[in-house]
Amino acid sequence: MHYSTFCEDGYINVVPALKVTLIMSLLSKGLSLRDACKYVNMSITAYERHKKDSMDKIQKIRENREISEMIDALTTKMINKEKIDPMMFCLICSKSRRLFNLPVCF
């Protein structure tokens, strides 16, 4: 029997699509692709691959108003170099899990 934690499951199934969505939001605010990828610690190659492979997930995330607003707020803080609460990404990930029928961790 294989057991994985919520975070392990999220890292595989949710986080890549969330990072791509964050990068797309940063790009829409005028950042270059290179800088946007650096902000979320993802290579340009990984961004392109995950963008192609996760389009359905990315679309679901972008269509969800609450999650989109949270992503917008996070990217605004990133651009303004404001202090970011590390739990903010966890909350976005947790809310996104519902979109993919995964158990919510908080």
Side-chain angles (χ1 to χ4, degrees):
M1 180 171 138
H2 176 72
Y3 175 77
S4 65
T5 66
F6 289 140
C7 284
E8 288 172 309
D9 195 33
Y11 187 75
I12 294 165
N13 295 302
V14 180
V15 171
L18 280 177
K19 283 187 167 191
V20 169
T21 307
L22 282 167
I23 291 169
M24 293 169 82
S25 180
L26 289 165
L27 293 172
S28 74
K29 294 179 182 197
L31 251 61
S32 69
L33 180 57
R34 172 173 276 151
D35 289 340
C37 287
K38 282 182 186 178
Y39 272 54
V40 299
N41 197 28
M42 180 179 267
S43 72
I44 293 172
T45 304
Y47 164 75
E48 295 292 344
R49 180 173 38 92
H50 288 300
K51 183 178 175 185
K52 179 181 172 189
D53 294 345
S54 303
M55 277 311 295
D56 291 339
K57 290 180 181 179
I58 294 163
Q59 191 64 32
K60 278 187 174 184
I61 291 168
R62 294 180 83 185
E63 288 173 354
N64 184 287
R65 184 176 180 188
E66 181 182 16
I67 296 170
S68 290
E69 288 174 358
M70 292 173 78
I71 287 171
D72 185 58
L74 178 58
T75 56
T76 298
K77 285 183 178 229
M78 293 168 92
I79 288 173
N80 293 333
K81 299 188 185 330
E82 294 176 29
K83 183 176 175 146
I84 298 171
D85 181 355
M87 289 302 295
M88 192 168 185
F89 188 81
C90 292
L91 290 171
I92 294 169
C93 180
S94 182
K95 290 190 180 290
S96 298
R97 294 173 65 82
R98 282 187 221 144
L99 297 175
F100 311 116
N101 299 317
L102 297 170
V104 181
C105 41
F106 328 49

